[in-house]
Amino acid sequence: MSNIEELLPHLCEDDRANFMKAVDAIGKAFAARTSIEADPQLIANLPQVREHVLTGGEIVLDLSAALDALAGDPSISNQLIAAEVKAAEVSKIKEDTANMSRAAKMNYARERGLDRPRDDVASTMTINEHAAVLAGLSPVQRMVYARRHGLV
């Protein structure tokens, strides 16, 4: 079975527009449902898109089947699992700290390493750039900034 994108140059303008609308609709719906951006190339190769485009829109785009097929792709299912694990971790932390005092929450965070900068938001600033920012802050703000950016 050939790739739908290989056939697009041979189809009419309406079919190409249908293709773009279908890929866009599936991408937006998947992102809204899962908060994961799917590769448009992966979406373009779904059988639901192929059927919809090649019939000139006569077969209605089966959005739910397309989303299920997309979620079944190994690269995306791994991302979905990672997102579920992260959500469970956040839920557990919120549950554990719900009735704690500020001091107890801080101890909880320190014990579990939650008071350090996360790897996914690590700063790309150099120490000299941090020093320039610190120079313009009050002493209390300096301490907060230094803690937030892992400088102390």
Side-chain angles (χ1 to χ4, degrees):
M1 194 178 277
S2 65
N3 187 334
I4 184 80
E5 292 180 297
E6 292 173 4
L7 299 174
L8 285 177
H10 306 290
L11 300 176
C12 71
E13 192 61 40
D14 290 339
D15 290 334
R16 288 191 287 271
N18 253 353
F19 172 76
M20 296 304 289
K21 286 179 191 173
V23 169
D24 186 53
I26 293 170
K28 286 180 180 177
F30 192 74
R33 179 186 282 183
T34 64
S35 75
I36 295 175
E37 297 290 327
D39 181 17
Q41 189 70 33
L42 193 59
I43 296 170
N45 289 324
L46 292 174
Q48 291 81 8
V49 172
R50 175 186 272 287
E51 291 170 358
H52 176 67
V53 172
L54 292 180
T55 61
E58 299 249 344
I59 294 179
V60 178
L61 180 63
D62 189 355
L63 200 56
S64 64
L67 296 178
D68 292 342
L70 204 53
D73 186 83
S75 66
I76 294 198
S77 64
N78 290 340
Q79 290 178 25
L80 288 171
I81 291 169
E84 287 176 13
V85 168
K86 185 69 175 169
E89 289 173 353
V90 169
S91 175
K92 174 77 169 110
I93 291 169
K94 285 182 179 178
E95 181 181 309
D96 289 349
T97 61
N99 297 321
M100 289 184 180
S101 67
R102 284 183 166 187
K105 286 180 183 180
M106 195 63 200
N107 287 334
Y108 179 92
R110 286 181 181 138
E111 289 169 0
R112 289 161 180 79
L114 302 173
D115 60 336
R116 294 172 189 83
R118 297 186 330 232
D119 293 335
D120 62 337
V121 293
S123 176
T124 58
M125 293 174 61
T126 66
I127 194 67
N128 291 337
E129 291 170 327
H130 283 298
V133 171
L134 288 169
L137 300 175
S138 72
V140 172
Q141 290 172 324
R142 283 186 206 144
M143 191 54 128
V144 170
Y145 181 89
R147 284 180 179 155
R148 183 175 293 141
H149 295 281
L151 302 175
V152 290

